[in-house]
């Protein structure tokens, strides 16, 4: 069994966090400013997409791309896509 992963970016005065549960199919949470805005009970190998909105006026939609490798057990990668620009989300250590 693997361990949990946590990815985070500050964007436009807002906090965007992705929590990926342990194992290759653990749950996934997308948080904006500490509030869950998207949730999946399981994630699959390959690409998983979560959507959210930054609570600006007007709201600002974005996507998070979570890539879980198919064959080789390795760390998932997470990318924020906002206004057509993709930006890697660094993993952060949570103790």
């Amino acid at each position: 069994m693997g361990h949990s992963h946590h990815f985070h970016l500050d964007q436009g005065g807002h906090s965007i966090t992705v929590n990926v549960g342990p194992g290759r199919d653990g749950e996934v949470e997308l948080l904006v400013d500490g509030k869950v805005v998207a949730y999946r009970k399981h994630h699959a190998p390959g690409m998983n997409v979560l959507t959210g909105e930054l609570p600006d006026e007007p709201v600002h939609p974005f996507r998070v791309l979570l890539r879980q490798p198919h064959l080789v057990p390795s760390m998932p990668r997470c990318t924020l896509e906002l206004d057509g620009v993709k930006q890697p989300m660094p993993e952060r250590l949570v103790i």
Side-chain angles (χ1 to χ4, degrees), residues 2-6 19-29 43 68:
H3 64 281
S4 298
H5 297 276
H6 307 277
N19 295 321
V20 182
R24 290 179 59 95
D25 62 350
E27 64 186 16
V28 181
E29 292 179 321
H43 69 278
Q68 178 69 48

Side-chain angles (χ1 to χ4, degrees), residues 65-80:
L65 311 172
L66 178 66
R67 183 181 308 274
Q68 178 69 48
H70 281 281
L71 302 174
V72 180
S74 63
M75 181 178 112
R77 288 187 285 162
C78 197
T79 304
L80 172 68

